[in-house]
Each structure stands twice: as C-alpha cells, then as structure tokens.
Amino acid sequence: MSLEIVPFQKKYTEAFYNLNVEWLETFFYVEDFDKEVLSQPDKYIINPGGHIFFAVEDNLVLGTVALMKAGDNSFELTKMAVLPNQRGKRIGQQLMQHCIDFGKTQGFEKLFLYSNTKLENAIYIYRKYGFIEIPVEENSPYKRSNIKMELYLS
C-alpha cells in the first residue's frame, strides 16, 4: 500500500494526540498548553481556520502535522510527529512538502515554526526546504523553543 496524506477527520483525533504526546515526552516534556490544544484539535486548530494532515498507510496513521492560523495569510507549521518505528522514512519530509504545496495553492503568504536547536535533523530539514531563522519573540508560546524559522510562499 502507498502512503497517503489526508486532511483532518474526527476519527484521527486520538492519533493526533498520541503521536504528539509521545514525541514531546521523548524529546522534551508536555506543557499544559500542549495537552489543551492536542486534546481538542478541532477547537484550537481547525475551527479558527487551520488545517491538520495525516500520513496514512493501510488505515494506520504514521505521522501528522498541523498548520495553525496565525494571521490573514500566515500559518504556524506545528504539531509534526511521526511514529517512532516509522522515523527515518522521510514521512516528516512528505508532510512538510504537502504543507508547503498546500500553502501555495491556498495563497498563504508564509509559514513559520518554532523548534529547538537540539533537534539537529529537524533544523537541517527546515533549512533544506527554505526556512530561514528569525528572532524568537520574548512571549513565545513554547518554553522549550529556542529557534524560530519562516518560509515565504509567495
């Protein structure tokens, strides 16, 4: 079976939560803000105009990513996570490319993201896709973030 990237469906809410919590617990810790957003993705991401995508193969969710609306044409690329036994198979890169292509077709001006420099592979991939580093604002929503990057789509 081939990998498909599909938009948010209610049936994937639990997978969205579990994938992200596992990833956060592996590399950092789960903040209250995370639990709130992850447990109600329709309320915090979809309803305000955002998007969530899933990498699915044989009805199994292998990975996920979200685009949270931040402004008229600005979206935060966030909540990207891949099953531990599926990492290294370029699923994250396929999700990233899907978000970039989707953003371009939707007329988004830019994507931005928060990360941490200890995630060297992730930072490398963001740069490979054209993201450039910009200053992290003092009131950043994530305590664990020490790098912010953006990509202009238009």
Side-chain angles (χ1 to χ4, degrees):
M1 240 1 238
S2 62
L3 182 77
E4 265 190 299
I5 296 182
V6 300
F8 178 76
Q9 296 169 45
K10 277 267 197 214
K11 68 181 180 180
Y12 296 139
T13 300
E14 189 177 345
F16 182 72
Y17 182 90
N18 291 340
L19 277 164
N20 276 284
V21 167
E22 184 283 326
W23 185 89
L24 286 168
E25 288 174 341
T26 298
F27 294 99
F28 298 101
Y29 48 86
V30 182
E31 296 177 22
D32 290 341
F33 179 68
D34 296 314
K35 286 182 184 168
E36 183 74 17
V37 171
L38 294 172
S39 62
Q40 299 178 70
D42 42 354
K43 175 181 177 183
Y44 289 99
I45 299 170
I46 302 295
N47 295 348
H51 306 272
I52 299 174
F53 300 104
F54 296 92
V56 180
E57 189 175 68
D58 294 329
N59 292 317
L60 177 67
V61 174
L62 306 181
T64 187
V65 65
L67 293 173
M68 267 172 66
K69 190 171 176 77
D72 285 343
N73 279 319
S74 175
F75 286 77
E76 178 186 352
L77 183 91
T78 186
K79 312 301 179 217
M80 185 183 288
V82 174
L83 283 174
N85 66 353
Q86 298 296 313
R87 292 182 188 143
K89 297 182 180 181
R90 304 174 64 96
I91 294 168
Q93 290 185 57
Q94 289 179 63
L95 286 164
M96 167 84 69
Q97 188 63 59
H98 184 82
C99 286
I100 292 168
D101 294 344
F102 179 81
K104 286 179 179 176
T105 64
Q106 296 296 307
F108 297 172
E109 181 186 342
K110 74 174 179 180
L111 301 179
F112 67 93
L113 59 87
Y114 295 93
S115 192
N116 187 293
T117 49
K118 92 175 197 181
L119 301 171
E120 292 175 20
N121 286 351
I123 303 299
Y124 171 81
I125 290 168
Y126 301 145
R127 287 196 171 108
K128 176 178 157 182
Y129 280 85
F131 282 82
I132 56 164
E133 189 173 344
I134 60 171
V136 178
E137 63 274 36
E138 283 185 29
N139 61 345
S140 161
Y142 308 102
K143 294 180 186 84
R144 63 181 170 264
S145 169
N146 68 356
I147 186 172
K148 183 176 181 181
M149 303 177 86
E150 68 183 8
L151 173 68
Y152 279 88
L153 300 177
S154 50

